[in-house]
């Protein structure tokens, strides 16, 4: 099964600095679109995409992710997902004077 995750970022996002445990990602700074091509999923693994998002100004981010997958040479109906897990890590911004 091949998996692709996309996210349209808000206008306040200037850049992203991420690390994908599986596959590769790209960020179009003009379109503000993140695309993570996870690739083939291996049973028992949990791919992750971690890193930072750079903003023009402080903002509450509300992100919507789209997950697309394809299973080649397999016909199925009534497919159900087991789980999608999204974690948000809080951080403290320190100001140096």
């Amino acid at each position: 099964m091949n998996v692709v995750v996309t996210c349209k970022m808000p206008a306040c996002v200037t850049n992203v600095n991420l690390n994908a445990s599986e596959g590769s990602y790209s960020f179009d700074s003009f379109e503000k679109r993140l695309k993570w091509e996870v690739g083939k999923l291996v049973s028992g693994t949990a791919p992750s995409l971690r890193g930072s998002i750079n903003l023009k100004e402080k903002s509450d981010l509300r992100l919507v992710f789209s997950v697309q997958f394809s299973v080649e040479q397999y016909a199925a109906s009534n497919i159900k997902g087991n789980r999608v897990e999204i974690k948000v890590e809080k951080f403290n911004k320190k100001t140096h004077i």
Side-chain angles (χ1 to χ4, degrees):
M1 172 172 26
N2 289 315
V3 178
V4 176
V5 179
T6 57
C7 179
K8 176 77 168 136
M9 299 286 188
C12 64
V13 174
T14 58
N15 201 5
V16 298
N17 184 17
L18 303 171
N19 184 15
S21 67
E22 301 288 334
S24 61
Y25 81 92
S26 61
F27 178 69
D28 182 333
S29 59
F30 181 74
E31 293 288 329
K32 306 294 185 192
R33 185 167 311 278
L34 171 67
K35 182 176 182 181
W36 177 26
E37 297 185 57
V38 181
K40 293 187 179 191
L41 292 181
V42 178
S43 180
T45 64
S48 64
L49 186 65
R50 302 180 74 137
S52 59
I53 298 173
N54 301 318
L55 308 174
K56 285 185 213 176
E57 68 259 354
K58 184 177 179 180
S59 175
D60 288 331
L61 292 179
R62 304 207 188 275
L63 304 176
V64 177
F65 293 88
S66 171
V67 180
Q68 299 172 321
F69 61 92
S70 63
V71 181
E72 296 177 15
Q73 299 180 353
Y74 185 78
S77 62
N78 199 23
I79 295 175
K80 295 179 181 179
N82 183 23
R83 171 176 91 171
V84 173
E85 185 174 327
I86 298 174
K87 295 180 183 180
V88 176
E89 296 181 6
K90 299 288 183 180
F91 68 95
N92 293 326
K93 184 176 179 181
K94 295 181 181 179
T95 305
H96 298 282
I97 299 176

